Amino acid sequence: REMLLVLDNFEQILDAGRHIADLLAHCGSLTVLVTSRERLHLRGEYLQEVAPLALPRPERLPAPAMLARYGAIAMFSQQMQQVDPTFRISTDNSEAISAICRHLDGLPLAIEIATARAHYIPLGSLLDKLTSRLDISEGPRDLPDRQRTLRATFAWSHDLLTPQEQAVFRRLGAAVGGYTPDAATAICGDDDSQLEHHLRSLAEKHLIRWEDTDNGYRIRLLETIRELAVEYLEASGELHKVSGRHAEYFLNLAVEAEEYLVGTDQLAWFERLEAEQGNIRSALDWSLSQQDDISEIAIRATVALWRYWLRRRSLTEGTTWLERALRLAPAQSSLRSRVLLSLARLHEAQSDYARAEALIGEALPICQETGDRSGEAQALTHLGGIAEDRGAFQRAASLHQQALTIFRANGLRRESAGSLNKLAIVAYYQGKFESAAKLWEESVAIYRELDDLWATGVLLGNLGAAAMATGDFDRAVELHEENLSIARLLKDPGTIGRQLCNLAEALQMRGDPHQDALLEEALALNRETNDRQCEASALTFMANSSFAHGDVRNAARLYGESLSLCQSIGDRATMANIALLERTALMALDCEHPRQAARLIGACERLRQKIGAPIMPYHRPLLDRCKTRLRSQIEPSALEALTAAGRSLSPDAAIEEGLVVCRLILTGGDAYSAREHEAVPAAPTLAITS
């Protein structure tokens, strides 16, 4: 006869496990089911791990009908129906339910206790009330006392640890997102030869987890358990010491990473930094609040991380840390100039040119006084980039050439390749496409030699632009696809978003207008990374597609969104803005508003003249058709008067003119004709951000 013996909470009497072995040896028909936080280490023992319940990914939340397939959501729903039989998962509450279950780490006991409160607290407010996972009010009365709050549950488990295990456990609380074994040794060790044994023991007791990742083993604590570990760490008096060890380890990791982010192993190092973002943020926050040597390491770490933040388009986060570091950086020091230049680069990437120029203006004299020629050349490069974005191509070329001379004189090949790229961009914008292609070929050869995969991809994309300019759209598609594959490999959302736009344009010009999926993905990434210039481009290409398919109202809406975005970024006189206004003029002409189209064409002529921007060869036929149609519809003297009026418009007023056309098409009205001879008010001048 088969028999089953159930033994609950056996971890309190583990030494009695040998008696179970004796029972099994003498009773062949006996099965023993044991619940315990750690295994018994008996022969014939089968383990059934009870992990936290499954949770949906917050960035891709499924439809309400699919949510109940996740264990945590299903349990939450079941528990809520015991409180309120009418409860159902819906579109209105699915986000709140998922957030609550994530906050509770998918722990069944936590969900059971939390849902008991939902009878008295609206679901939308419940998450705000769960400020501490450990202090959720008591659960069902038929549970043992040690299971009626999470604090009691985990404190009971903690109290069963040896003193050495307790010390390791509380020190692990400093981790945010887990540790590698090396990090755990550096932070928890105290030269403890038994550290690995203690870590294995904590894992067997389910207080920590060992995860096998692509980059090796990683030790993690559920946030609920980490919260308790931090409390014990504070109570022990070790918080400052352990926080210092933690900060020193991860800040030094960031400093070490700087040179590897541009070499052969850049992908592995970007992934390593990605995995440690929680720890790095914690280390920076703690160390930048200290008044000792650790703060200097933190400053060096922020400088080392600027390229990571730029590639990941974490620009706001990067500028926040660097601004904090700047407040601590010693005056007139080379360290301060490095902070200033790193910060300027991130502000330039957000189109905040005014702030970037102010930072460079402080950094440049420091570099000159301290003899930092590389820093001086970097400052000139950043100023050249700003001039380039503003359409001041002659100034940009002069600054980039000065930087290139310094870099070459000091044997800095990577930096020289960057200057060659910048000079090529300026040549491209001036219509010197063959010169641009030669400079890009020279630059990409250096980057290939240096095994800089990211920079190589960027240069391939630039060569794709040159191929576009010369009408070789097949070659352009090939180059943009290669760059896009590299960007995806490097998990670089900023470059992915830009290359999706470039690829979509190349495909459109090749004759395939169906690029909605590429552009939707590009637009989402542009917005996620705050790349507003590329966001405007994505909207423009989407509008082009709608216009090509005859959906003029949607085209007008999208062109209007792009124009509105252009009002808020950088100098209004850029090549992208001019091309957008010319597209808007063509739309106005097709919608039988030739007078408005003529004024926009005049405004674009003046803007091109102002910055010396050429008409791209693949864009010229469109513009020529537009002008031919205008000459056929408007008497010559009237056409000249209208285009002259357009040429008198400021860049801001030209964009506002385009917005008026979009509104006119969307409303179907003729409000424009009543004011067509009035001066168009300029849009307000906004802070320039890059």
Side-chain angles (χ1 to χ4, degrees):
R1 180 182 176 185
E2 296 291 329
M3 295 182 291
L4 174 67
L5 174 63
V6 179
L7 302 173
D8 195 15
N9 301 320
F10 204 80
E11 63 270 12
Q12 301 178 81
I13 51 171
L14 279 178
D15 289 342
R18 62 180 183 274
H19 299 305
I20 297 178
D22 291 340
L23 283 173
L24 292 171
H26 290 86
C27 302
S29 59
L30 176 64
T31 298
V32 181
L33 176 62
V34 178
T35 67
S36 172
R37 64 176 186 157
E38 57 183 304
R39 62 181 301 176
L40 306 184
H41 293 287
L42 299 177
R43 287 177 297 171
E45 180 180 10
Y46 290 87
L47 295 180
Q48 179 62 52
E49 296 279 352
V50 182
L53 299 174
L55 292 161
R57 293 171 60 182
E59 68 274 15
R60 291 187 179 179
L61 206 61
M66 303 293 290
L67 270 177
R69 295 188 177 186
Y70 293 88
I73 308 297
M75 181 176 182
F76 186 95
S77 179
Q78 292 166 3
Q79 293 293 317
M80 285 296 298
Q81 287 172 3
Q82 293 180 15
V83 175
D84 177 7
T86 66
F87 175 83
R88 296 292 183 273
I89 301 173
S90 68
T91 303
D92 293 335
N93 63 23
S94 60
E95 189 172 337
I97 293 170
S98 299
I100 291 168
C101 291
R102 283 197 306 275
H103 182 76
L104 298 174
D105 287 324
L107 293 172
L109 177 60
I111 293 171
E112 184 177 5
I113 296 173
T115 50
R117 304 184 70 185
H119 185 62
Y120 309 100
I121 300 172
L123 193 60
S125 304
L126 182 58
L127 182 60
D128 295 334
K129 300 293 183 182
L130 302 178
T131 53
S132 171
R133 303 167 180 81
L134 297 169
D135 290 325
I136 301 174
S137 60
E138 294 187 354
R141 293 181 178 179
D142 56 341
L143 286 175
D145 288 344
R146 61 180 175 79
Q147 292 183 0
R148 293 182 64 195
T149 68
L150 289 177
R151 179 182 301 282
T153 299
F154 292 122
W156 171 81
S157 189
H158 168 270
D159 291 344
L160 294 176
L161 300 174
T162 67
Q164 294 82 5
E165 289 171 341
Q166 289 178 351
V168 172
F169 171 72
R170 64 177 176 261
R171 293 167 189 168
L172 287 173
V176 182
Y179 282 143
T180 62
D182 285 346
T185 300
I187 296 158
C188 305
D190 268 346
D191 297 323
D192 186 350
S193 60
Q194 296 297 308
L195 177 61
E196 184 176 349
H197 169 75
H198 298 326
L199 291 172
R200 296 291 179 187
S201 177
L202 290 172
E204 288 191 352
K205 296 173 174 62
H206 298 89
L207 289 171
I208 66 173
R209 292 182 294 170
W210 284 76
E211 295 182 355
D212 190 5
T213 72
D214 292 340
N215 297 312
Y217 281 104
R218 193 166 185 84
I219 301 163
R220 293 189 185 275
L221 288 77
L222 294 175
E223 280 301 303
T224 307
I225 297 176
R226 194 178 80 84
E227 189 176 319
L228 183 67
V230 171
E231 289 188 5
Y232 284 126
L233 186 60
E234 291 174 342
S236 71
E238 291 185 321
L239 180 61
H240 185 84
K241 178 179 72 173
V242 173
S243 296
R245 287 178 179 174
H246 176 276
E248 185 175 3
Y249 181 88
F250 287 104
L251 296 178
N252 282 325
L253 175 67
V255 172
E256 181 187 3
E258 183 175 20
E259 67 175 292
Y260 296 106
L261 295 181
V262 292
T264 306
D265 297 326
Q266 59 187 251
L267 177 58
W269 276 90
F270 270 100
E271 290 179 346
R272 188 172 180 184
L273 290 179
E274 190 78 33
E276 300 297 358
Q277 278 305 289
N279 284 312
I280 289 171
R281 289 175 183 132
S282 176
L284 286 172
D285 187 48
W286 184 83
S287 57
L288 289 173
S289 302
Q290 306 303 309
Q291 300 297 322
D292 52 27
D293 292 344
I294 195 70
S295 62
E296 181 177 340
I297 302 176
I299 297 169
R300 290 167 52 210
T302 61
V303 171
L305 288 166
W306 75 267
R307 185 173 276 106
Y308 172 85
W309 289 317
L310 179 65
R311 301 267 186 92
R312 291 293 187 255
R313 301 301 293 184
S314 301
L315 302 176
T316 301
E317 178 180 3
T319 53
T320 299
W321 289 121
L322 281 161
E323 292 282 8
R324 283 185 63 179
L326 184 61
R327 291 194 287 270
L328 298 175
Q332 300 303 113
S333 66
S334 58
L335 181 57
R336 183 174 184 84
S337 67
R338 292 190 67 200
V339 176
L340 288 163
L341 292 174
S342 300
L343 185 54
R345 183 65 185 88
L346 296 190
H347 277 294
E348 180 194 342
Q350 296 175 83
S351 304
D352 190 352
Y353 301 134
R355 177 61 176 151
E357 285 180 320
L359 293 162
I360 297 167
E362 182 183 347
L364 186 55
I366 296 176
C367 293
Q368 292 167 337
E369 290 169 11
T370 59
D372 182 359
R373 295 289 282 163
S374 174
E376 180 183 352
Q378 288 172 15
L380 294 171
T381 297
H382 296 334
L383 288 173
I386 294 170
E388 171 193 312
D389 289 340
R390 287 175 165 169
F393 298 131
Q394 289 186 340
R395 172 172 165 74
S398 174
L399 289 163
H400 291 318
Q401 187 60 57
Q402 292 177 57
L404 177 60
T405 300
I406 295 173
F407 287 139
R408 280 178 166 168
N410 288 272
L412 300 171
R413 286 177 55 72
R414 184 185 306 282
E415 291 77 4
S416 297
S419 291
L420 289 168
N421 174 40
K422 291 290 189 179
L423 285 166
I425 291 172
V426 173
Y428 171 83
Y429 284 147
Q430 292 177 311
K432 303 172 184 177
F433 305 125
E434 290 186 5
S435 296
K438 287 180 181 178
L439 288 165
W440 276 323
E441 291 286 3
E442 185 179 355
S443 180
V444 77
I446 297 174
Y447 283 127
R448 287 189 189 278
E449 179 186 327
L450 296 171
D451 288 325
D452 190 332
L453 187 60
W454 182 85
T456 298
V458 169
L459 268 293
L460 291 174
N462 291 347
L463 284 168
M468 282 277 289
T470 57
D472 190 349
F473 301 124
D474 287 337
R475 176 64 174 157
V477 168
E478 178 185 332
L479 288 163
H480 287 316
E481 285 180 336
E482 186 176 356
N483 186 4
L484 179 60
S485 67
I486 291 173
R488 290 196 189 280
L489 176 66
L490 295 175
K491 301 177 183 178
D492 177 357
T495 303
I496 292 170
R498 288 189 293 276
Q499 284 312 305
L500 285 166
C501 284
N502 292 337
L503 178 59
E505 183 186 23
L507 288 165
Q508 286 181 353
M509 295 309 301
R510 195 171 70 173
D512 181 1
H514 301 286
Q515 304 306 323
D516 294 346
L518 290 178
L519 291 169
E520 289 287 354
E521 183 184 357
L523 186 62
L525 285 168
N526 297 153
R527 288 172 171 169
E528 176 188 322
T529 58
N530 195 32
D531 191 338
R532 290 177 292 168
Q533 288 180 334
C534 285
E535 180 183 349
S537 295
L539 289 166
T540 299
F541 296 145
M542 292 170 77
N544 294 348
S545 179
S546 291
F547 189 63
H549 288 88
D551 190 350
V552 178
R553 287 182 59 82
N554 193 49
R557 179 183 65 81
L558 291 165
Y559 282 137
E561 283 189 50
S562 186
L563 286 163
S564 295
L565 196 57
C566 290
Q567 285 182 317
S568 68
I569 53 176
D571 195 295
R572 314 299 189 264
T574 69
M575 286 185 65
N577 292 355
I578 295 168
L580 170 58
L581 288 169
E582 288 167 342
R583 286 282 189 176
T584 307
L586 181 64
M587 180 179 65
L589 190 56
D590 271 26
C591 293
E592 300 181 356
H593 298 296
R595 298 168 70 83
Q596 293 87 328
R599 286 168 64 96
L600 283 173
I601 291 298
C604 291
E605 288 176 351
R606 176 69 184 93
L607 292 174
R608 285 193 182 279
Q609 183 182 15
K610 175 183 176 182
I611 66 174
I615 299 173
M616 290 292 130
Y618 57 87
H619 188 60
R620 184 178 290 280
L622 178 148
L623 196 55
D624 288 344
R625 286 197 304 272
C626 186
K627 290 180 177 179
T628 299
R629 290 176 61 185
L630 283 173
R631 285 192 293 270
S632 69
Q633 295 182 38
I634 302 177
E635 189 268 334
S637 60
L639 179 58
E640 176 56 33
L642 287 165
T643 53
R647 284 192 290 269
S648 70
L649 296 174
S650 69
D652 281 311
I655 290 177
E656 183 60 31
E657 192 90 359
L659 284 167
V660 169
V661 169
C662 293
R663 288 194 289 268
L664 179 62
I665 293 171
L666 285 170
T667 60
D670 198 25
Y672 189 91
S673 62
R675 45 159 291 194
E676 63 187 8
H677 299 298
E678 299 175 8
V680 179
T685 301
L686 304 177
I688 300 171
T689 59
S690 132

